[in-house]
């Protein structure tokens, strides 16, 4: 999604100048933009240095958005309604994507990263450690649930690392919800 790269380039012109983990930020932007932009949408981005925001227009849909940069955070806002569609928070030890469905967090530890999703609907927290996941930054990472055979996903340098990890965690949340609904239906009979 080429809008991600354009936004990243232009965000660096806004204040404050702070460091984000660029690969995680790229993933979070791509995830957040999915509801607003398709890969082939044309768009226009204007930098407003006076008010410290980017104005983004999806030329295919004529929808207008704002990207505001604040201390340790980025807000993506629908201009017409002033609704915050997603919010990226950058702390010392983690970076998180906050939107209606869930909060996605990458937490930095000294020798590794920790991944978790908090489901906004029922407050359920799913982390890789809950799922008995082993991750090695040096060579590979594995994804598995307790009773599942280990699945080696790929090299840690893989560009799709975050996409693979969070789609796995999202699937786990979704599968659990589906199972709970099925059990409720069975209990009715």
């Amino acid at each position: 999604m080429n809008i991600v790269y354009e936004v990243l380039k232009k965000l660096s012109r806004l204040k404050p100048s702070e460091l984000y983990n660029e690969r995680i930020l790229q993933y979070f932007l791509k995830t957040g933009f999915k509801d607003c932009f398709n890969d082939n949408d044309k768009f226009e981005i204007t930098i407003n240095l006076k008010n410290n925001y980017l104005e983004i227009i999806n030329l295919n849909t004529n929808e207008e958005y704002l990207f505001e940069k604040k201390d340790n955070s980025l807000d993506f806002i629908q201009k017409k309604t002033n609704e915050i569609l997603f919010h990226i928070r950058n702390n010392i030890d983690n970076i998180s994507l906050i939107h209606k469905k869930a909060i996605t967090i990458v937490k930095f530890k000294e020798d590794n990263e920790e991944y978790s999703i908090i489901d906004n609907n029922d407050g359920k927290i799913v982390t890789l450690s809950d799922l008995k996941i082993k991750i090695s930054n040096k060579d590979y990472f594995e994804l598995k649930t307790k009773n599942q055979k280990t699945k080696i996903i790929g090299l840690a340098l893989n560009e799709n690392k975050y996409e693979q990890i969070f789609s796995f965690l999202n699937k786990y949340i979704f599968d659990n919800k589906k199972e709970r609904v099925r059990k409720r239906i069975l209990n009715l009979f």
Side-chain angles (χ1 to χ4, degrees):
M1 193 178 276
N2 63 354
I3 188 169
V4 171
Y5 301 105
E6 290 301 319
V7 166
L8 277 172
K9 281 195 294 188
K10 290 173 175 53
L11 273 175
S12 64
R13 305 269 308 274
L14 301 180
K15 302 290 181 202
S17 302
E18 58 184 327
L19 291 174
Y20 282 81
N21 180 309
E22 194 154 305
R23 284 181 64 204
I24 298 172
L25 188 55
Q26 279 177 15
Y27 168 73
F28 281 173
L29 289 176
K30 187 177 174 187
T31 301
F33 286 152
K34 275 182 183 166
D35 294 335
C36 306
F37 295 93
N38 295 312
D39 287 337
N40 56 355
D41 282 351
K42 297 194 181 329
F43 53 87
E44 182 182 305
I45 303 174
T46 309
I47 304 172
N48 185 324
L49 291 175
K50 183 180 175 189
N51 295 317
N52 204 46
Y53 65 76
L54 302 181
E55 187 169 34
I56 306 169
I57 301 170
N58 184 329
L59 297 173
N60 291 39
T61 62
N62 289 323
E63 288 287 335
E64 296 181 38
Y65 305 95
L66 298 177
F67 225 125
E68 287 187 349
K69 190 175 187 184
K70 302 173 185 168
D71 280 332
N72 304 320
S73 70
L74 300 166
D75 288 340
F76 186 66
I77 302 162
Q78 188 166 31
K79 188 176 178 183
K80 190 176 181 181
T81 62
N82 213 26
E83 178 189 4
I84 297 175
L85 300 176
F86 66 86
H87 172 77
I88 296 173
R89 191 170 295 148
N90 189 32
N91 294 327
I92 295 166
D93 64 345
N94 68 60
I95 181 169
S96 51
L97 170 65
I98 301 157
H99 53 88
K100 288 176 190 157
K101 293 177 207 150
I103 302 170
T104 308
I105 305 165
V106 179
K107 187 172 186 177
F108 308 109
K109 294 191 159 199
E110 209 170 291
D111 57 345
N112 221 326
E113 291 175 348
E114 194 177 276
Y115 312 90
S116 59
I117 292 178
I118 301 170
D119 186 338
N120 283 343
N121 294 323
D122 62 9
K124 181 179 176 65
I125 301 173
V126 179
T127 69
L128 289 184
S129 56
D130 291 341
L131 302 179
K132 306 275 190 237
I133 308 300
K134 176 183 176 185
I135 296 180
S136 164
N137 282 338
K138 293 182 176 64
D139 42 25
Y140 66 92
F141 54 98
E142 304 169 356
L143 303 180
K144 65 172 183 162
T145 55
K146 292 171 194 162
N147 50 6
Q148 190 183 53
K149 189 176 176 186
T150 299
K151 183 178 178 188
I152 296 177
I153 297 295
L155 296 175
L157 299 173
N158 185 335
E159 284 300 310
N160 298 323
K161 172 181 170 184
Y162 299 110
E163 199 160 337
Q164 290 170 324
I165 289 170
F166 286 113
S167 65
F168 182 83
L169 290 176
N170 271 314
K171 183 179 179 300
Y172 186 80
I173 288 175
F174 179 72
D175 286 351
N176 274 357
K177 278 186 180 173
K178 217 165 46 174
E179 183 61 25
R180 284 196 308 262
V181 169
R182 191 179 72 75
K183 282 181 182 175
R184 275 192 218 133
I185 290 169
L186 290 175
N187 287 336
L188 293 175
F189 298 104

